[in-house]
Coordinates of all heavy atoms in Angstrom, one line a residue:
D1 N -55.3 -21.3 27.6 CA -54.5 -20.1 27.3 C -55.3 -18.9 27.6 O -56.4 -18.7 27.1 CB -54.1 -20.1 25.8 CG -53.2 -19.0 25.4 OD1 -53.4 -17.9 25.8 OD2 -52.2 -19.3 24.7
L2 N -54.8 -18.0 28.5 CA -55.5 -16.8 28.9 C -55.7 -15.8 27.8 O -56.6 -15.0 27.9 CB -54.8 -16.2 30.0 CG -54.8 -16.9 31.4 CD1 -54.0 -16.1 32.4 CD2 -56.1 -17.2 31.8
H3 N -54.9 -15.9 26.7 CA -55.0 -14.9 25.7 C -56.3 -15.0 24.9 O -56.8 -14.1 24.3 CB -53.8 -14.9 24.7 CG -52.6 -14.6 25.4 ND1 -52.2 -13.4 25.8 CD2 -51.5 -15.4 25.8 CE1 -51.0 -13.4 26.4 NE2 -50.6 -14.6 26.4
S4 N -56.9 -16.2 25.0 CA -58.2 -16.4 24.3 C -59.4 -16.4 25.2 O -60.5 -16.5 24.8 CB -58.2 -17.7 23.5 OG -58.0 -18.8 24.4
F5 N -59.1 -16.2 26.5 CA -60.2 -16.1 27.5 C -61.0 -14.9 27.4 O -60.5 -13.8 27.2 CB -59.6 -16.2 28.9 CG -60.6 -16.6 30.0 CD1 -61.1 -17.9 30.0 CD2 -61.0 -15.7 30.9 CE1 -62.0 -18.3 31.0 CE2 -62.0 -16.1 31.9 CZ -62.4 -17.4 31.9
P6 N -62.4 -15.0 27.3 CA -63.2 -13.8 27.1 C -63.0 -12.6 28.0 O -63.2 -11.5 27.5 CB -64.6 -14.4 27.2 CG -64.5 -15.9 27.1 CD -63.1 -16.2 27.6
T7 N -62.7 -12.8 29.2 CA -62.6 -11.7 30.1 C -61.2 -11.1 30.1 O -60.8 -10.3 30.9 CB -62.9 -12.1 31.6 OG1 -62.0 -13.1 32.0 CG2 -64.4 -12.5 31.7
R8 N -60.5 -11.4 29.1 CA -59.1 -10.8 28.9 C -59.2 -9.3 28.7 O -58.2 -8.6 29.0 CB -58.4 -11.5 27.7 CG -57.0 -11.3 27.6 CD -56.2 -11.9 28.7 NE -54.8 -11.6 28.5 CZ -53.8 -11.8 29.3 NH1 -54.0 -12.4 30.4 NH2 -52.6 -11.6 29.0
R9 N -60.3 -8.8 28.3 CA -60.4 -7.3 28.1 C -60.5 -6.7 29.5 O -61.3 -7.1 30.3 CB -61.7 -7.0 27.3 CG -61.8 -7.6 25.9 CD -63.0 -7.2 25.3 NE -64.2 -7.4 26.2 CZ -65.4 -7.6 25.9 NH1 -65.7 -7.7 24.6 NH2 -66.4 -7.8 26.8
S10 N -59.7 -5.7 29.7 CA -59.6 -5.1 31.0 C -60.9 -4.4 31.4 O -61.2 -4.4 32.6 CB -58.4 -4.1 31.1 OG -58.6 -3.0 30.2
S11 N -61.7 -4.0 30.4 CA -62.9 -3.3 30.8 C -63.9 -4.3 31.5 O -64.7 -3.9 32.3 CB -63.6 -2.7 29.6 OG -63.9 -3.7 28.6
D12 N -63.8 -5.6 31.1 CA -64.6 -6.6 31.8 C -64.2 -6.8 33.2 O -65.0 -7.1 34.1 CB -64.6 -7.9 31.0 CG -65.2 -7.9 29.7 OD1 -66.0 -6.9 29.4 OD2 -65.0 -8.7 28.9
L13 N -62.9 -6.7 33.5 CA -62.4 -7.1 34.8 C -62.5 -5.9 35.8 O -62.4 -6.2 37.0 CB -60.9 -7.5 34.6 CG -60.7 -8.8 33.9 CD1 -59.3 -9.1 33.7 CD2 -61.3 -10.0 34.8
E14 N -62.6 -4.7 35.3 CA -62.5 -3.6 36.3 C -63.6 -3.6 37.3 O -63.6 -2.9 38.3 CB -62.4 -2.3 35.5 CG -61.1 -2.1 34.8 CD -61.0 -0.9 33.9 OE1 -61.9 -0.1 33.9 OE2 -60.0 -0.8 33.2
I15 N -64.7 -4.3 37.0 CA -65.8 -4.3 37.9 C -66.0 -5.6 38.7 O -67.0 -5.8 39.3 CB -67.1 -4.0 37.2 CG1 -67.4 -5.0 36.1 CG2 -67.2 -2.6 36.6 CD1 -68.7 -5.0 35.4
M16 N -64.9 -6.4 38.7 CA -65.0 -7.7 39.4 C -64.4 -7.6 40.8 O -63.4 -6.9 41.0 CB -64.2 -8.7 38.5 CG -64.9 -8.9 37.2 SD -64.1 -10.3 36.3 CE -64.8 -11.6 37.2
N17 N -65.0 -8.4 41.7 CA -64.5 -8.4 43.0 C -63.8 -9.7 43.2 O -63.7 -10.6 42.3 CB -65.6 -8.2 44.0 CG -66.7 -9.3 44.0 OD1 -66.4 -10.5 43.9 ND2 -67.9 -8.9 44.1
S18 N -63.2 -9.9 44.4 CA -62.3 -11.0 44.7 C -63.1 -12.3 44.6 O -62.6 -13.3 44.0 CB -61.7 -10.9 46.1 OG -60.9 -9.8 46.1
R19 N -64.3 -12.4 45.0 CA -65.1 -13.6 45.0 C -65.4 -14.0 43.5 O -65.3 -15.2 43.2 CB -66.4 -13.4 45.8 CG -67.1 -14.7 46.1 CD -68.2 -14.6 47.1 NE -67.7 -14.0 48.4 CZ -67.1 -14.8 49.4 NH1 -66.8 -16.0 49.2 NH2 -66.8 -14.2 50.5
Q20 N -65.7 -13.0 42.7 CA -66.0 -13.3 41.3 C -64.7 -13.8 40.6 O -64.8 -14.8 39.8 CB -66.5 -12.1 40.6 CG -67.9 -11.7 41.0 CD -68.2 -10.3 40.5 OE1 -67.4 -9.4 40.5 NE2 -69.5 -10.1 40.1
I21 N -63.6 -13.2 40.9 CA -62.3 -13.7 40.3 C -62.0 -15.1 40.8 O -61.6 -15.9 40.0 CB -61.2 -12.7 40.7 CG1 -61.4 -11.3 40.0 CG2 -59.8 -13.3 40.3 CD1 -60.5 -10.2 40.5
A22 N -62.3 -15.4 42.0 CA -62.1 -16.8 42.5 C -62.9 -17.8 41.7 O -62.5 -18.9 41.4 CB -62.4 -16.9 44.0
K23 N -64.2 -17.4 41.4 CA -65.1 -18.3 40.7 C -64.5 -18.5 39.3 O -64.6 -19.7 38.8 CB -66.5 -17.7 40.6 CG -67.3 -17.8 41.8 CD -68.6 -17.2 41.7 CE -69.4 -17.3 43.0 NZ -70.8 -16.8 42.8
I24 N -64.0 -17.5 38.6 CA -63.4 -17.7 37.3 C -62.1 -18.6 37.4 O -61.9 -19.4 36.6 CB -63.0 -16.3 36.7 CG1 -64.3 -15.6 36.4 CG2 -62.2 -16.5 35.4 CD1 -64.1 -14.1 35.9
C25 N -61.3 -18.4 38.4 CA -60.1 -19.2 38.6 C -60.5 -20.7 38.6 O -59.8 -21.5 38.1 CB -59.4 -18.8 39.9 SG -58.4 -17.3 39.7
R26 N -61.6 -21.0 39.3 CA -62.0 -22.4 39.4 C -62.4 -23.0 38.0 O -62.5 -24.2 37.9 CB -63.2 -22.5 40.3 CG -62.8 -22.3 41.8 CD -64.0 -22.7 42.7 NE -63.7 -22.3 44.0 CZ -64.0 -21.1 44.6 NH1 -64.7 -20.2 43.9 NH2 -63.7 -20.9 45.8
L27 N -62.6 -22.2 37.0 CA -62.9 -22.7 35.7 C -61.7 -23.3 35.0 O -61.8 -24.2 34.1 CB -63.5 -21.6 34.8 CG -64.8 -21.0 35.3 CD1 -65.2 -19.8 34.3 CD2 -65.9 -22.1 35.3
F28 N -60.5 -22.9 35.5 CA -59.3 -23.5 34.9 C -58.9 -24.8 35.5 O -58.9 -25.0 36.7 CB -58.1 -22.5 35.1 CG -58.3 -21.2 34.4 CD1 -58.7 -20.1 35.0 CD2 -58.0 -21.1 33.0 CE1 -58.9 -18.9 34.3 CE2 -58.1 -19.9 32.3 CZ -58.6 -18.8 33.0
A29 N -58.6 -25.8 34.6 CA -58.3 -27.1 35.1 C -56.9 -27.2 35.8 O -56.7 -28.0 36.7 CB -58.4 -28.1 33.9
F30 N -56.0 -26.4 35.3 CA -54.7 -26.4 35.8 C -54.3 -25.3 36.7 O -54.7 -24.1 36.5 CB -53.7 -26.4 34.6 CG -53.8 -27.6 33.7 CD1 -54.4 -27.4 32.5 CD2 -53.4 -28.8 34.1 CE1 -54.6 -28.5 31.6 CE2 -53.6 -29.9 33.3 CZ -54.2 -29.8 32.0
E31 N -53.7 -25.6 37.8 CA -53.3 -24.7 38.8 C -52.5 -23.5 38.2 O -52.6 -22.4 38.6 CB -52.5 -25.4 39.9 CG -52.2 -24.5 41.1 CD -52.7 -24.9 42.4 OE1 -53.5 -25.8 42.5 OE2 -52.2 -24.4 43.4
A32 N -51.6 -23.8 37.3 CA -50.7 -22.8 36.7 C -51.6 -21.7 36.0 O -51.3 -20.5 36.1 CB -49.7 -23.4 35.8
N33 N -52.6 -22.2 35.4 CA -53.5 -21.2 34.7 C -54.3 -20.4 35.7 O -54.6 -19.2 35.4 CB -54.4 -22.0 33.7 CG -53.7 -22.6 32.6 OD1 -52.6 -22.3 32.3 ND2 -54.3 -23.6 31.9
R34 N -54.7 -21.0 36.8 CA -55.4 -20.3 37.8 C -54.6 -19.2 38.4 O -55.0 -18.1 38.6 CB -55.8 -21.2 39.0 CG -57.0 -22.1 38.6 CD -57.4 -22.9 39.9 NE -57.9 -24.2 39.4 CZ -57.6 -25.4 39.9 NH1 -56.8 -25.5 41.0 NH2 -58.1 -26.5 39.4
L35 N -53.3 -19.5 38.6 CA -52.4 -18.6 39.2 C -52.1 -17.4 38.2 O -52.1 -16.3 38.6 CB -51.1 -19.3 39.5 CG -50.0 -18.4 40.2 CD1 -50.4 -17.8 41.4 CD2 -48.7 -19.3 40.4
E36 N -51.9 -17.8 36.9 CA -51.7 -16.7 35.9 C -52.9 -15.8 35.9 O -52.7 -14.5 35.8 CB -51.5 -17.4 34.6 CG -51.2 -16.4 33.5 CD -51.0 -17.0 32.1 OE1 -50.9 -18.3 32.0 OE2 -50.9 -16.3 31.1
F37 N -54.1 -16.3 35.9 CA -55.3 -15.5 35.8 C -55.4 -14.6 37.1 O -55.7 -13.4 37.0 CB -56.6 -16.3 35.6 CG -57.8 -15.4 35.5 CD1 -58.0 -14.7 34.3 CD2 -58.6 -15.3 36.6 CE1 -59.1 -13.9 34.2 CE2 -59.7 -14.4 36.5 CZ -60.0 -13.7 35.3
A38 N -55.2 -15.2 38.2 CA -55.3 -14.5 39.5 C -54.3 -13.3 39.5 O -54.7 -12.2 40.0 CB -55.0 -15.4 40.7
K39 N -53.1 -13.5 39.0 CA -52.1 -12.4 38.9 C -52.6 -11.3 38.0 O -52.5 -10.1 38.3 CB -50.8 -12.9 38.5 CG -50.0 -13.7 39.5 CD -48.7 -14.2 38.9 CE -47.9 -15.0 39.9 NZ -46.6 -15.4 39.2
Y40 N -53.1 -11.7 36.8 CA -53.6 -10.8 35.8 C -54.8 -10.0 36.4 O -54.8 -8.7 36.3 CB -54.0 -11.5 34.5 CG -54.7 -10.6 33.6 CD1 -53.9 -9.7 32.8 CD2 -56.0 -10.5 33.5 CE1 -54.5 -8.8 31.9 CE2 -56.7 -9.7 32.6 CZ -55.9 -8.8 31.8 OH -56.5 -7.9 31.0
A41 N -55.7 -10.6 37.0 CA -56.9 -10.0 37.5 C -56.7 -9.1 38.7 O -57.5 -8.2 39.0 CB -58.0 -11.1 37.8
Y42 N -55.6 -9.3 39.5 CA -55.4 -8.5 40.7 C -55.5 -7.0 40.4 O -56.1 -6.3 41.2 CB -54.1 -8.9 41.3 CG -53.8 -8.1 42.6 CD1 -54.5 -8.4 43.7 CD2 -52.8 -7.1 42.6 CE1 -54.3 -7.7 44.9 CE2 -52.6 -6.4 43.7 CZ -53.3 -6.7 44.9 OH -53.1 -5.9 46.0
K43 N -54.8 -6.6 39.4 CA -54.8 -5.1 39.1 C -56.1 -4.6 38.7 O -56.3 -3.4 38.6 CB -53.7 -4.8 38.1 CG -53.9 -5.4 36.7 CD -52.7 -5.1 35.8 CE -52.9 -6.0 34.6 NZ -51.6 -6.4 34.0
H44 N -57.1 -5.4 38.4 CA -58.4 -5.0 38.0 C -59.5 -5.2 39.1 O -60.7 -5.0 38.8 CB -58.8 -5.7 36.7 CG -57.8 -5.5 35.6 ND1 -57.8 -4.4 34.9 CD2 -56.9 -6.3 35.1 CE1 -56.8 -4.5 34.0 NE2 -56.2 -5.7 34.1
C45 N -59.1 -5.7 40.2 CA -60.0 -6.0 41.3 C -60.5 -4.8 42.1 O -59.6 -4.0 42.4 CB -59.3 -7.0 42.2 SG -60.3 -7.6 43.5
V46 N -61.8 -4.8 42.3 CA -62.3 -3.6 43.1 C -62.1 -3.7 44.6 O -62.3 -2.7 45.3 CB -63.8 -3.4 42.7 CG1 -64.0 -3.0 41.2 CG2 -64.7 -4.6 43.1
D47 N -61.8 -4.9 45.1 CA -61.6 -5.1 46.5 C -60.4 -5.9 46.8 O -60.4 -7.0 47.3 CB -62.8 -5.7 47.2 CG -63.1 -7.1 46.7 OD1 -62.6 -7.5 45.6 OD2 -64.0 -7.8 47.3
P48 N -59.2 -5.4 46.4 CA -57.9 -6.1 46.6 C -57.6 -6.5 48.0 O -56.9 -7.5 48.3 CB -56.9 -5.2 46.0 CG -57.5 -3.8 46.1 CD -59.0 -4.0 45.9
N49 N -58.2 -5.8 49.0 CA -58.0 -6.2 50.4 C -58.7 -7.5 50.7 O -58.3 -8.1 51.8 CB -58.6 -5.1 51.3 CG -60.1 -4.9 51.1 OD1 -60.6 -4.8 49.9 ND2 -60.8 -4.7 52.1
K50 N -59.5 -8.1 49.9 CA -60.1 -9.4 50.1 C -59.5 -10.4 49.2 O -60.1 -11.5 49.0 CB -61.6 -9.3 49.9 CG -62.3 -8.4 50.9 CD -63.8 -8.4 50.7 CE -64.5 -7.6 51.7 NZ -65.9 -7.5 51.5
Y51 N -58.4 -10.1 48.6 CA -57.8 -11.1 47.6 C -57.4 -12.4 48.3 O -57.2 -13.4 47.6 CB -56.7 -10.4 46.8 CG -56.7 -10.8 45.4 CD1 -57.7 -10.3 44.6 CD2 -55.7 -11.5 44.8 CE1 -57.8 -10.6 43.2 CE2 -55.7 -11.8 43.4 CZ -56.7 -11.3 42.6 OH -56.8 -11.7 41.3
F52 N -57.3 -12.4 49.6 CA -56.9 -13.6 50.3 C -58.0 -14.7 50.1 O -57.7 -15.9 50.2 CB -56.8 -13.3 51.8 CG -58.1 -12.9 52.5 CD1 -59.0 -13.9 53.0 CD2 -58.5 -11.6 52.5 CE1 -60.2 -13.5 53.5 CE2 -59.7 -11.2 53.1 CZ -60.6 -12.2 53.6
L53 N -59.1 -14.3 49.6 CA -60.2 -15.3 49.3 C -59.8 -16.3 48.2 O -60.3 -17.4 48.1 CB -61.5 -14.6 48.9 CG -62.2 -13.8 50.0 CD1 -63.3 -13.0 49.4 CD2 -62.6 -14.7 51.1
L54 N -58.8 -15.8 47.4 CA -58.3 -16.7 46.3 C -57.5 -17.9 46.8 O -57.3 -18.8 46.0 CB -57.6 -15.9 45.3 CG -58.5 -15.3 44.2 CD1 -59.3 -14.1 44.7 CD2 -57.8 -15.0 43.0
D55 N -57.0 -17.8 48.0 CA -56.2 -18.9 48.5 C -57.0 -20.2 48.4 O -56.4 -21.3 48.2 CB -55.8 -18.7 50.0 CG -54.6 -17.8 50.1 OD1 -54.0 -17.4 49.1 OD2 -54.3 -17.4 51.3
E56 N -58.3 -20.2 48.5 CA -59.1 -21.4 48.5 C -59.1 -22.1 47.1 O -59.5 -23.2 47.0 CB -60.5 -21.1 49.0 CG -61.3 -20.2 48.1 CD -62.6 -19.8 48.7 OE1 -62.7 -19.6 50.0 OE2 -63.6 -19.6 48.0
V57 N -58.8 -21.4 46.1 CA -58.8 -22.0 44.7 C -57.5 -22.8 44.4 O -57.5 -23.4 43.4 CB -59.1 -21.0 43.6 CG1 -60.4 -20.2 43.9 CG2 -58.0 -20.0 43.4
F58 N -56.5 -22.6 45.2 CA -55.3 -23.3 45.0 C -55.1 -24.5 45.8 O -55.4 -24.6 47.0 CB -54.1 -22.3 45.2 CG -54.1 -21.1 44.3 CD1 -54.4 -19.9 44.8 CD2 -53.9 -21.3 42.9 CE1 -54.5 -18.8 43.9 CE2 -54.0 -20.2 42.1 CZ -54.3 -18.9 42.6
T59 N -54.5 -25.6 45.2 CA -54.2 -26.8 45.9 C -52.9 -26.8 46.6 O -52.7 -27.2 47.7 CB -54.2 -28.0 44.9 OG1 -55.5 -28.0 44.2 CG2 -54.0 -29.3 45.6
F60 N -51.9 -26.2 45.9 CA -50.5 -26.2 46.4 C -50.2 -24.9 47.1 O -50.5 -23.8 46.7 CB -49.6 -26.3 45.2 CG -49.8 -27.5 44.3 CD1 -50.3 -27.4 43.1 CD2 -49.7 -28.8 44.9 CE1 -50.6 -28.6 42.3 CE2 -49.9 -29.9 44.1 CZ -50.4 -29.8 42.8
E61 N -49.5 -25.1 48.2 CA -49.0 -24.0 49.0 C -48.1 -23.1 48.2 O -48.1 -21.8 48.4 CB -48.3 -24.5 50.3 CG -49.3 -25.0 51.3 CD -50.3 -24.0 51.9 OE1 -49.9 -22.9 52.1 OE2 -51.4 -24.4 52.0
S62 N -47.3 -23.7 47.3 CA -46.4 -22.9 46.5 C -47.2 -21.8 45.7 O -46.7 -20.7 45.4 CB -45.5 -23.8 45.7 OG -46.3 -24.6 44.8
S63 N -48.3 -22.2 45.2 CA -49.1 -21.3 44.4 C -49.7 -20.1 45.2 O -49.6 -19.0 44.8 CB -50.3 -22.0 43.7 OG -49.8 -23.0 42.8
K64 N -50.1 -20.5 46.4 CA -50.6 -19.5 47.3 C -49.5 -18.5 47.7 O -49.7 -17.3 47.7 CB -51.1 -20.1 48.6 CG -52.3 -20.9 48.4 CD -52.7 -21.6 49.7 CE -53.8 -22.7 49.5 NZ -54.2 -23.4 50.7
K65 N -48.3 -19.0 47.9 CA -47.1 -18.2 48.3 C -46.7 -17.3 47.1 O -46.5 -16.1 47.3 CB -46.0 -19.1 48.7 CG -44.7 -18.3 49.1 CD -43.6 -19.2 49.5 CE -42.4 -18.4 49.9 NZ -41.3 -19.2 50.2
E66 N -46.8 -17.9 45.9 CA -46.4 -17.1 44.7 C -47.3 -15.9 44.5 O -46.9 -14.8 44.2 CB -46.3 -18.0 43.5 CG -45.8 -17.3 42.3 CD -45.6 -18.2 41.1 OE1 -45.3 -19.4 41.3 OE2 -45.6 -17.7 40.0
L67 N -48.6 -16.2 44.7 CA -49.6 -15.1 44.6 C -49.4 -14.1 45.6 O -49.5 -12.9 45.4 CB -51.1 -15.6 44.6 CG -52.1 -14.6 44.4 CD1 -52.0 -13.9 43.1 CD2 -53.5 -15.2 44.5
D68 N -49.2 -14.5 46.9 CA -49.0 -13.5 48.0 C -47.7 -12.7 47.7 O -47.8 -11.4 47.9 CB -48.8 -14.3 49.3 CG -50.1 -14.9 49.8 OD1 -51.2 -14.4 49.3 OD2 -50.0 -15.7 50.7
E69 N -46.7 -13.3 47.2 CA -45.5 -12.5 46.8 C -45.7 -11.5 45.7 O -45.2 -10.4 45.7 CB -44.3 -13.5 46.5 CG -43.8 -14.2 47.7 CD -42.8 -15.3 47.3 OE1 -42.6 -15.5 46.1 OE2 -42.2 -15.9 48.3
F70 N -46.5 -12.0 44.7 CA -46.9 -11.1 43.6 C -47.6 -9.9 44.1 O -47.4 -8.7 43.7 CB -47.7 -11.9 42.6 CG -48.2 -11.0 41.5 CD1 -47.4 -10.7 40.4 CD2 -49.5 -10.5 41.5 CE1 -47.9 -10.0 39.3 CE2 -50.0 -9.7 40.5 CZ -49.2 -9.5 39.4
I71 N -48.6 -10.1 45.0 CA -49.4 -9.0 45.6 C -48.5 -8.0 46.4 O -48.8 -6.8 46.3 CB -50.5 -9.6 46.4 CG1 -51.5 -10.3 45.5 CG2 -51.2 -8.5 47.2 CD1 -52.6 -11.1 46.3
Q72 N -47.5 -8.5 47.1 CA -46.7 -7.7 47.9 C -45.8 -6.7 47.1 O -45.3 -5.7 47.6 CB -45.8 -8.5 48.8 CG -46.6 -9.4 49.8 CD -47.5 -8.5 50.7 OE1 -47.1 -7.5 51.2 NE2 -48.7 -9.0 50.9
K73 N -45.6 -7.0 45.8 CA -44.7 -6.2 45.0 C -45.3 -4.8 44.7 O -46.4 -4.5 44.7 CB -44.4 -6.9 43.6 CG -43.5 -8.1 43.8 CD -43.3 -8.6 42.4 CE -42.4 -9.9 42.5 NZ -42.1 -10.4 41.3

């Protein structure tokens, strides 16, 4: 559950880059949790132009597509 995850505080996330966010995503056992965190962290990312690096943390194309669609909004 992301609500209990330590980096849930936005002040912790504001200094994170795409590669660091990808590393955190890998800590989640379930793809749905990785996707939820990736979406949450996007607005706090210092290099959103490199968010494509997160594609490598997902197994399913549908997750990659959902994240891409989220970013395009």
Side-chain angles (χ1 to χ4, degrees):
D1 185 316
L2 291 181
H3 297 288
S4 61
F5 197 71
T7 60
R8 192 66 177 172
R9 298 179 317 203
S10 64
S11 61
D12 290 343
L13 289 173
E14 289 175 8
I15 58 170
M16 296 186 75
N17 63 42
S18 295
R19 196 167 300 280
Q20 291 169 318
I21 293 168
K23 285 182 181 182
I24 292 172
C25 283
R26 287 188 188 94
L27 297 175
F28 293 100
F30 298 105
E31 181 124 345
N33 294 343
R34 286 185 211 136
L35 181 59
E36 182 181 353
F37 181 77
K39 287 179 176 180
Y40 172 79
Y42 179 72
K43 64 185 169 213
H44 302 284
C45 183
V46 297
D47 63 349
N49 59 317
K50 294 184 180 177
Y51 223 65
F52 66 89
L53 296 172
L54 272 76
D55 280 355
E56 65 188 35
V57 304
F58 298 110
T59 303
F60 304 113
E61 288 299 320
S62 59
S63 297
K64 295 175 188 179
K65 182 179 178 184
E66 186 173 334
L67 182 60
D68 289 343
E69 289 173 354
F70 175 82
I71 291 170
Q72 297 303 317
K73 288 183 182 179

